[in-house]
Amino acid sequence: MTAPIRTRFAPSPTGFMHVGGVRTALFAWLLARQSQDGVFILRIEDTDKQREVEGSIDQIANSLKWLGITWDEGIEVQGPHAPYLQSERLDIYKKWAQKLIDSGRAYADPYTPEQLEGFRQEAKAAKRPFLYRHHRPENPPVWDGTQPLRFKSDPKAYTWTDAVMGELAADAEAVDDFILMKSDGFPTYNFCHIVDDAEMSITHVLRSQEFVASVPKFLNLYEALELTVPTLATLPFVMAIDGKKKLGKRDGAKDILEYAKEGYLPEAMMNFLATLGWNDGTEQEVFTASELVEKFSLERVQKSPARFDEKRLLWLNGQHIRALNIDDLYERVKDFWPVSAKNVSDEKKKEVLSLAQDRLKTLADLPVLTDY
Ligand code: GLU
């Protein structure tokens, strides 16, 4: 028997959840759900206090709940690796940082920001990439927590296998002495996600393409910490419909919960997100959640960026509305009836609804279609 899959979604609380972020969560969830005793974890990466946006943790949780993406360990539900908020795990990171200091693989960064900027300018003038390790101090001071703590890297070229992208390679330039602990006492993402993924026995790390260039650094740190590297899976960007740029607010990247208000069904949204860069190899387009759990595989996630096509979402929503039985549909449209329907009986409303069902694209179409 293969060991159960353990995946995590590890968002930073920096605002609302848009399609790209939720798709990452969905793929990680599908993978865990198709594994016997699989576990899906919701961990909050709140170590960058400057970027934090109030209320986003609740929004993240509510977005996942709306879609039916349930988590087995994490914030709210807790679990054997609690706490699941990184800002409450500082002692754990300190312990791991100490390990690296003890083995000679971490040192205090003695430079002022001005000195660092000087090194950067030098590199720029010489037209070579800036690498901190070229300025590694000979006798760094003892780390007292007020300086950044840096990783003493062991630069080398890497080739590795990504479960989506296939064989990847990078030369030694991609490995540098990055910061592990910042002078504000918080760890960097580069450091603490590796610690947490190990502590939480994560088997598969699914994350956005924006992190792929950092993987050589991570591999170097895994070695220094003597940790096994989990399966890494890079999810290609979600692009605007023109395919030219990353999906931004202007091209429809909005809070996923807005779609609920606009009369979209969570199952249609799940279907839409799952097929943003994945298909099962057949012509099938409409999938239920359990079909997705059964059929999803990382091997069939496409390597090239997916395009965000809101018309397709609308079409899928109509398909999923049609698939509901009338009682279920009746429950879901409760908030969408026009005022004129206030005194109409349940029975009559259901009758009207079954006539309108075939033409509803969103639940919010109801007032228009039932204007009697
Ligand atoms: N905290 C990172 C983010 O929000 C997560 C990246 C990861 O999954 O490792 O983008």
Side-chain angles (χ1 to χ4, degrees):
M1 212 191 86
T2 45
I5 287 181
R6 294 175 61 87
T7 61
R8 75 338 185 246
F9 179 51
S12 304
T14 53
F16 61 73
M17 296 268 284
H18 57 79
V19 288
V22 194
R23 186 191 60 168
T24 304
L26 174 62
F27 284 7
W29 178 79
L30 289 171
L31 209 60
R33 286 292 170 268
Q34 61 187 206
S35 155
Q36 193 176 354
D37 300 320
V39 169
F40 175 63
I41 299 176
L42 176 57
R43 176 175 84 217
I44 302 293
E45 302 203 322
D46 61 338
T47 60
D48 190 346
K49 289 293 161 191
Q50 267 146 25
R51 288 181 57 224
E52 199 160 322
V53 175
E54 216 192 295
S56 23
I57 297 182
D58 283 343
Q59 270 216 317
I60 291 167
N62 291 338
S63 304
L64 297 182
K65 284 177 199 166
W66 176 62
L67 280 164
I69 299 179
T70 49
W71 56 99
D72 313 295
E73 290 179 28
I75 57 157
E76 297 179 5
V77 300
Q78 301 309 328
H81 304 286
Y84 292 90
L85 212 54
Q86 285 188 328
S87 60
E88 293 175 1
R89 300 173 60 78
L90 300 184
D91 287 345
I92 299 174
Y93 311 129
K94 278 202 195 113
K95 196 186 76 196
W96 285 76
Q98 192 58 48
K99 243 194 216 178
L100 287 169
I101 295 172
D102 294 345
S103 61
R105 297 303 304 274
Y107 61 93
D109 175 348
Y111 301 119
T112 62
E114 293 72 30
Q115 282 172 306
L116 264 187
E117 189 46 36
F119 297 150
R120 239 181 228 117
Q121 292 307 328
E122 265 172 46
K124 202 172 161 195
K127 293 197 166 55
R128 51 178 166 77
F130 167 72
L131 286 171
Y132 185 96
R133 59 179 159 82
H134 290 157
H135 306 275
R136 209 179 260 172
E138 250 166 62
N139 292 305
V142 174
W143 185 57
D144 64 7
T146 63
Q147 321 96 325
L149 182 71
R150 285 199 182 251
F151 176 46
K152 190 171 180 183
S153 63
D154 173 22
K156 56 177 99 161
Y158 281 102
T159 54
W160 72 100
T161 309
D162 183 286
V164 172
M165 297 293 182
E167 297 306 307
L168 297 175
D171 62 27
E173 298 261 285
V175 179
D176 197 9
D177 289 6
F178 59 86
I179 295 178
L180 302 165
M181 300 290 293
K182 297 175 283 180
S183 52
D184 65 2
F186 284 95
T188 56
Y189 163 75
N190 290 343
F191 176 44
C192 65
H193 88 273
I194 289 179
V195 167
D196 282 346
D197 287 346
E199 292 255 346
M200 297 175 185
S201 305
I202 300 300
T203 59
H204 293 67
V205 170
L206 278 68
R207 70 185 144 209
S208 142
Q209 194 176 347
E210 65 183 286
F211 296 97
V212 73
S214 300
V215 168
K217 284 193 248 186
F218 302 157
L219 296 176
N220 212 246
L221 182 58
Y222 277 110
E223 284 172 18
L225 291 170
E226 297 176 318
L227 292 172
T228 317
V229 184
T231 298
L232 304 178
T234 295
L235 306 180
F237 289 128
V238 178
M239 309 295 275
I241 184 79
D242 65 5
K244 291 201 184 102
K245 53 180 184 322
K246 254 174 82 181
L247 185 68
K249 283 188 185 143
R250 275 191 218 175
D251 326 284
K254 60 185 173 193
D255 182 350
I256 204 93
L257 290 171
E258 282 297 314
Y259 290 100
K261 290 186 208 143
E262 290 173 15
Y264 285 86
L265 299 181
E267 46 269 73
M269 181 52 87
M270 182 183 280
N271 188 160
F272 174 69
L273 293 171
T275 48
L276 260 182
W278 171 87
N279 65 69
D280 74 340
T282 73
E283 297 289 297
Q284 185 171 347
E285 292 200 66
V286 182
F287 295 91
T288 62
S290 49
E291 282 176 317
L292 290 173
V293 169
E294 184 195 323
K295 296 182 177 186
F296 179 77
S297 77
L298 284 176
E299 291 74 40
R300 292 208 57 85
V301 174
Q302 72 190 36
K303 293 190 176 79
S304 52
R307 286 180 197 208
F308 176 78
D309 180 358
E310 220 167 14
K311 283 206 190 98
R312 186 157 182 280
L313 170 61
L314 191 64
W315 176 79
L316 280 171
N317 203 47
Q319 301 297 313
H320 282 275
I321 288 177
R322 233 139 293 162
L324 295 177
N325 71 47
I326 196 70
D327 293 318
D328 195 355
L329 180 60
Y330 186 65
E331 271 305 301
R332 312 255 204 142
V333 297
K334 263 208 245 114
D335 299 333
F336 291 93
W337 288 101
V339 210
S340 56
K342 207 168 150 225
N343 298 318
V344 180
S345 70
D346 286 351
E347 224 167 292
K348 182 80 194 155
K349 273 195 204 152
K350 272 190 200 173
E351 206 179 293
V352 173
L353 195 56
S354 50
L355 291 174
Q357 183 168 15
D358 277 355
R359 281 172 297 141
L360 283 180
K361 287 209 179 77
T362 73
L363 305 180
D365 289 342
L366 193 67
V368 188
L369 289 183
T370 58
D371 209 5
Y372 49 86

